[in-house]
Structures are given as structure tokens and as C-alpha cells.
Amino acid sequence: MKGDFMREDFANTCKLGFGCMRLPLTDPNDQKSIDIEQLKTMVDEFIAGGGTYFDTAFVYHDGASEAALKEALTSRYPRDAYTVATKCLAWALPDEATAKSNLQTSLNRMGIDYVDFYLLHNVGGPRTEVFDKFGMWDFVKEMKAQGKIKNIGFSMHDDAKCLDELLTAHPDVDFVQLQVNYLDWNDPVVQSRRLMKVAQKHDVPVVIMEPARGGQLVNLPERVASVFKKAAPEQSLASWAYRFCYTQPNVIAVLSGMGTPDQVRENVADYKKFGTTPFTNEEQAAFDAAIEALHAVPTVPCTNCRYCVKDCPQGVAIPNIMALLNLEAYTDNREFVKGQYSWQAKAPASECIKCGACEDMCPQKIDIMHQLDIAAEHYE
């Protein structure tokens, strides 16, 4: 079956993946000032702990992430000691030639002849049209045939319907990268559970990103953290989030954006201790109680039916904004949500002209215009 070879390769491999988007810096104001010596320590700790999967992208650290991997990883370890994933953001590039040149530039930066996993990055919505226009789907297949790519895939921050359409249109992809975590598992906008089911339906292996929801599942509100700590005082909050992802079926890697040697050591130690072992009955009961505590706050009852957006003259991304208001309620972290809002809201809440068309269409009778005012006050 499709994807079986990859699942077999990763069956006995550490599923913890090293995300190279938040590497240590010598100057916090300069994304290119990666601390290579500290990164070498992190790489050494990761590989010594059984890790092999490194995830970067053409644009991470303004392009310096790939070059840093050459210094810290590829020039110091044999090629069979690691696998590397990198990505192309064609939708952010000016033309087809530039988009297609990214692969060779990435290979040159990393000092390797082929990339193990190559992703068309952040497809979905109008961005997909750019990948189509530039012929990127055929390009990556051609590069795979030439041996410059071992596995082709894509990442996305879109819904299950979009994923289903993409996998139907492109049945040759070897894997997908999806946002999956227990906070977003049943979220009507992110749809982590539904995304995983679609990937399984198409028999496509999954690389999980955002397992700790940008760090929010490591910095939980006390009402939630206390449940985990009471059940297992010695376990880190991160271990619950990662273990939830490790134990999902069809997963080949779970990415952690690690920025210090201590973070590497903690994640490696947790993986060595728990691996892909499912929660015990007692642990599952504690996990369920923590989820209940997480959601035990008043939220906007939006179901993402999207009736509200059909006649919105301003194109305000109402369901996305309602989901972000709920995210703030769950995490009690407005600054984090504000950062998410900057790229998820699309047309911002403040563009609402109070025509009322959305409220007329809402089956849940949500006071949408008032909620948009709150969002504009909180995040703009």
C-alpha cells in the first residue's frame, strides 16, 4: 500500500523531529546570527539520543537555517546518519524560475546531493494556485526521478476538505505535514482529527507540526497544568503533548522547534522514557480531565459552518476570528493569540461595517459584530 515503505523505515526510528525554525542566536535582533557551536551541541545530543529527522526551510532564519545545518550536521555526520526535510514557498516568490531554483540553492546551502523530504510549503486556498501555475507538482516529481528528492510532500494550514482535494488531485505525494495537537484536535477551524482521518483515507504518512501549539501546551493555565501535575508530578507538560502525537497512527515524525540544548535533552529523555507507548488507563483519565479543564471556560459557540462569510461584503474571516477568541480563552495568553491573528485573520475584524448579514445567517445566533469588536480591541 502507498506509504508502507516509509512507515516501515520509520517503524523503529525515533519519531521526535528536530525543527530548525527557532535556532539559538548570538544576536536576538539578527535571525541570521545562529549560534553554531550551541547548535552543534544540540545536534550531537539529538543524534546521540536516536534522533535522525531534521526539518528546515528555504526561508527559515532568513535563509541561514539551511547553511547552519551544513556546519552543524551534514559536514560532521555521514549521510546515512540523518534525514533532512526542506521546503519551497512558491506562493511568496516572484516567478516560476525562482521557485524552481530554490531546490538547488537549498542543496548547495546544506552541502548535500539530495534532500530526503521536500515540501511544497503552506499550500491551500489561493496559494495552491501559484504552485499549480508554476508547475511545481510536476517539477518535484521530475527532481525525484533525478534523485535530488527522495520523498515529495506538502504542508498546509487548511481544513480537511482542502486536504482531501489536494491528495485526490496529487496522488503521487509521499507524505504530508499537518498541524496536529490535542488543543486543535476537535477545533472546527484547524480540524486536526479530521485532517488525520483524511490522510489515513489516502494512505499518506504524516509529519506533525505544532504538537505543543507554539509552546502553549507547555505553558498551560494553572487550571489545566495542575491536573497533569497531580496525576504525574515528575512528567513535563511537554511530554503529554508530544506523547499524544507520537501515539497517533500513520505518523512518521513529530516536529519540535528546539532552541536550546536543554530542550533537546528534555525531549530526547521524554521520548526514551515513553516512546510511542499509549497512555495507561490512569494517564488517559488524567488527560481527559485536563482536556475538560482546558475547555471549561466560556467560548464563542462557532461551529465553522461558514454561513456568515458568504454574504460578508468585507470578506472578514469570521470563523477564524471566532476560533482565535476561543484560543485566547483556552490558553489565557492574549499575546500569543495576537501573533496568530496577524496571519490567520486575513481581512481583520476592524473592517466589519456592521451590516448584520453575518448575524442573520448564523445558526448559533452568535453576536458576531460584538465579538468582532472584541477581537479588534484585543489583537489590532
Side-chain angles (χ1 to χ4, degrees), residues 99-354:
K100 290 181 176 177
S101 72
N102 277 191
L103 172 60
Q104 190 58 52
T105 301
S106 293
L107 293 174
N108 293 343
R109 285 174 176 171
M110 291 186 286
I112 54 179
D113 296 324
Y114 65 89
V115 63
D116 302 275
F117 298 86
Y118 197 66
L119 297 96
L120 302 182
H121 192 33
N122 199 12
V123 300
R127 296 178 300 279
T128 302
E129 297 172 9
V130 181
F131 289 99
D132 295 344
K133 177 183 175 183
F134 289 172
M136 296 304 294
W137 303 97
D138 288 334
F139 171 74
V140 293
K141 285 190 285 186
E142 179 185 343
M143 292 300 100
K144 181 179 178 181
Q146 292 183 18
K148 291 188 175 184
I149 298 171
K150 294 299 183 183
N151 300 284
I152 57 177
F154 61 83
S155 66
M156 57 167 280
H157 292 276
D158 214 318
D159 60 21
K161 180 176 180 292
C162 176
L163 178 61
D164 194 28
E165 291 171 349
L166 284 165
L167 290 177
T168 299
H170 304 287
D172 295 324
V173 301
D174 299 303
F175 71 105
V176 293
Q177 185 166 306
L178 305 173
Q179 178 172 318
V180 177
N181 54 72
Y182 67 75
L183 178 60
D184 293 324
W185 192 239
N186 291 309
D187 184 87
V189 174
V190 181
Q191 302 180 355
S192 288
R193 180 199 291 267
R194 292 175 61 189
L195 289 169
M196 292 296 284
K197 286 186 177 298
V198 169
Q200 276 194 287
K201 184 183 82 170
H202 288 269
D203 198 30
V204 176
V206 175
V207 173
I208 288 179
M209 58 181 164
E210 298 289 354
R213 196 53 159 92
Q216 290 310 293
L217 301 184
V218 180
N219 298 290
L220 289 163
E222 183 58 27
R223 70 178 188 278
V224 184
S226 61
V227 178
F228 284 129
K229 290 301 182 183
K230 181 178 179 180
E234 75 288 354
Q235 291 185 31
S236 69
L237 296 178
S239 71
W240 292 91
Y242 284 95
R243 195 167 163 197
F244 172 81
C245 293
Y246 292 142
T247 55
Q248 297 303 320
N250 204 35
V251 171
I252 58 172
V254 178
L255 303 179
S256 175
M258 296 179 280
T260 68
D262 283 344
Q263 289 176 354
V264 176
R265 294 183 190 109
E266 180 179 307
N267 286 338
V268 167
D270 284 342
Y271 189 85
K272 283 185 173 182
K273 183 174 182 179
F274 301 111
T276 57
T277 305
F279 294 138
T280 64
N281 290 338
E282 293 78 10
E283 288 172 328
Q284 187 64 54
F287 185 81
D288 292 344
I291 296 298
E292 184 177 349
L294 184 66
H295 291 86
V297 289
T299 56
V300 182
C302 176
T303 63
N304 196 35
C305 70
R306 307 195 71 81
Y307 294 156
C308 58
V309 301
K310 293 179 179 178
D311 295 320
C312 177
Q314 301 299 97
V316 177
I318 298 169
N320 301 57
I321 294 171
M322 300 300 106
L324 289 167
L325 286 168
N326 288 343
L327 182 60
E328 181 184 349
Y330 294 144
T331 63
D332 195 25
N333 190 334
R334 184 173 300 174
E335 284 305 306
F336 169 72
V337 178
K338 189 174 182 178
Q340 301 288 300
Y341 180 89
S342 65
W343 64 273
Q344 288 188 29
K346 302 172 185 177
S350 59
E351 292 192 9
C352 172
I353 59 174
K354 303 292 191 293

Side-chain angles (χ1 to χ4, degrees), residues 300 302 307-309 316 318-319 321-322 325 349 352 354 356-363 365-375:
V300 182
C302 176
Y307 294 156
C308 58
V309 301
V316 177
I318 298 169
I321 294 171
M322 300 300 106
L325 286 168
C352 172
K354 303 292 191 293
C358 55
E359 294 189 3
D360 290 341
M361 294 296 293
C362 180
K365 304 304 179 186
I366 298 169
D367 54 345
I368 294 174
M369 291 184 286
H370 174 62
Q371 297 299 330
L372 291 175
D373 285 341
I374 295 173

